[in-house]
Structures are given as structure tokens and as C-alpha cells.
Amino acid sequence: MPLPPRTPRTRTRASRTRVLRAAAVPLFGTTLLAGALTGCGGSADGAEGAGTVTVYSADGLKGEKGDGWYDKVFASFTEKTGIEVKYVEGGSGEMVQRALREKTNTQADVLITLPPFIQQAAGKGLIEKYRPQGSDRVKGGDKAADGTWTSVVNNYFGFVHNKKELPRAPRTWEELLDTGYKDRLQYSTPGVAGDGTAVLIKAMHDFGGKEPAMAYLKKLQANNVGPSSSTSKLAPKTDKGELLVANGDVQMNFAQSRSMPNLGIWFPAREGGRPTTFALPYAAGLVADAPHSENGRKLLDHLLGEESQRLVSEVGGGFPARADIKPTDANAVALTRLMAGVEVFEPDWADIDANLPAYVDAWKTATGS
């Protein structure tokens, strides 16, 4: 799909649970929730805990210092409605698996994750149909036709490099096979991390299919440090120079670069070709049989509201999901410049949803993982 004309994750490290209390702390304040969530699934909104909404999310939109997009919009939501946000984050696939394990005792109200995991969640009956206010302004490719999910922040897949030790970003996939990258290159685990799965998707596109992509990734394994369940751990290693190159995504890495000055974003090309990427949005759905589904609906409406969407680039370093929001802040300008000349392709998500286990198995076989 073409790059949206609108101009315009600091991804936290480990999976963790937070409560954001706008009334008790400053706007960007966060209080750690001790222990596991204790609410029982299926309770009515009038039951104990009715003043809360629980979000399971892929990491990337919560700030390390309480200054991320989630920090801002969750706090404003609590201030506006009095509803407290309980926040649980982890890898994209991890959040779906957690929701699946809890299907008979639902804990989450809203699920936010990346493709193809949001499609998996819908296919497993984990999310129900709800079209939030403002979703009519989201382009067709960025939401489910049946109303089960819609993007709340748009984003693109990418890589990072250490600008100090590697001033010129590698241009091609083939360059990464050089022995100078041995044990200085790492990408997150396909099938577990959304951005790790994106490595497979982009490689299959750029190399023209599963077999040539796996042949390349088999060669690349000689330089790969090893598996990582979360992409968020790789950017700090790259900034410090432990790694020269790692995978990531534009929103997360752009936000991280504010506190990681050595982080540069780039997009690999096939030798002789153009750099490519694809949209990797944060997509949200209302969890089926949620304990506080009405609060979940209110939060989804808030995330797609004009005020929240106008903060996506300025605060979150991402791209608004709503096509009618066209920010002009400094981040928006820089993001547009970063994407210039990069070919944006649209994956066959139906194929990926149906065949992802086979693709991941092929990757495991090729790399010995």
C-alpha cells in the first residue's frame, strides 16, 4: 500500500503490569501494580473493580520515563472518565497467548498487538466486534472488515544501527553476511515477537518467497547472536555498541532515539533493489467476555479520538491511525523524511495468518533455532 500522505514504541523492556492513576500522580506518573491481576472474568461492569479497564498490549507505546503515548492518553482518559487503566505488556504473540490461556476466566478488556497476531486473536475468538468512534476515519487496510479490530497507531518495520561505530547504515541484506557482523547482529524471535515475525515477512518479500528467504537466513545465522523474545531489548544494546545492527520498528526506535543518541533507523534492500518496508500498526480489539467491556469501549473511543491521535507523532513518535489527522510537528516532519524513498508493500495477511506456524517451523529448521 502506498505511504499515507499524513506526516506524521520508547518500548519498555520486560513484560510487566502497571496501574496508571491520573488522580494520584502527575500526568505522566505511573504506579507499579504489585502482584497479578485478581479480577474474575465475566463480571458485570457494576461489580467490584468497575472503575477499571485492563489493557494487554505489545510493548512500544509506554515510555521508560513515563513520557510515552500510553502514559499521556491513559492519564487523560482517567482524568476524563475516572476509570483507572491497568496495563500489562509483553511481546505481541505473548499477549495473545496470555489472553488465550485466560479465555475461560477473562482478565483483559482491551487487546492491542501487531499483525499477524491481531488476526490470530480474532480467529481464535478472543476479540469481539466493536467499531470505536473515529474508526470510520481509519483506512480499510488498517482495520478489520468485520469490525473486530482497528489500528490505533500506525507504524512501519525497520532496522537500527549504531551510528557511532557504524556511521553508514548497511544498504543491503547481503552486507549483513560480512564477518564483521559476527556476534554484533541480532533479531528478535519470529513467532514470539511481532518485529521478529516481521523479519520473516520482509525477507520472504525481498527474496521472492519462503525458500530463498530461508536460504538467506540460514547464512545470516552465522552472525546472529541468538534469540530474543522482545525486540525492545535490542535497541539499548545497539546504542551501547554491543550490537552493530538489530531489528525494530520506526515508532519504537524513533521514540528511543531521544535517549539513545547512537541509534539510527534504516531499511534493508535486496542487492540491486530498493529499500522496502511494510505497515506494522498497533491494532486494538475489545476482548470477548471482558470483565469491564463498557469501559473497554470507552477506552477504544478515547484512543481514536482527535486529541489522542494528534499526540501520536509528537509524543509517541508514530503515525496517526486516522487519515484525517495530519500533524505538522517536528517529529512528523522527521518521520516523513525518514520514510522518503522507501517502498512500502502490503503483505498477504490472510496467507500469513494461515501459514505462520509453517513459516516459523521453516525458519527454525533453517537456522537450527
Side-chain angles (χ1 to χ4, degrees), residues 289-310:
D289 300 317
H292 308 111
S293 57
E294 184 57 34
N295 292 349
R297 293 185 184 94
K298 291 177 181 178
L299 179 60
L300 289 171
D301 292 346
H302 183 74
L303 296 180
L304 276 177
E306 286 192 30
E307 180 183 350
S308 298
Q309 287 292 298
R310 291 189 187 282

Side-chain angles (χ1 to χ4, degrees), residues 3-8 309-310 312-314 318-320 322-323 325-337:
L3 181 65
R6 56 185 181 274
T7 54
Q309 287 292 298
R310 291 189 187 282
V312 168
S313 59
E314 181 183 349
F319 304 81
R322 286 178 52 158
I325 304 297
K326 305 179 187 300
T328 57
D329 59 88
N331 283 351
V333 173
L335 286 163
T336 299
R337 187 180 304 120

Side-chain angles (χ1 to χ4, degrees), residues 160-162 166-172 175 181 245 264-267:
V160 290
H161 69 107
N162 181 291
L166 194 66
R168 184 189 71 83
R171 197 184 69 79
T172 68
E175 285 184 52
Y181 291 100
V245 170
I265 301 172
W266 66 289
F267 306 91

Side-chain angles (χ1 to χ4, degrees), residues 213-229:
M214 299 309 161
Y216 168 80
L217 292 171
K218 180 178 182 178
K219 295 177 183 177
L220 186 66
Q221 193 66 12
N223 291 340
N224 188 17
V225 170
S228 174
S229 61

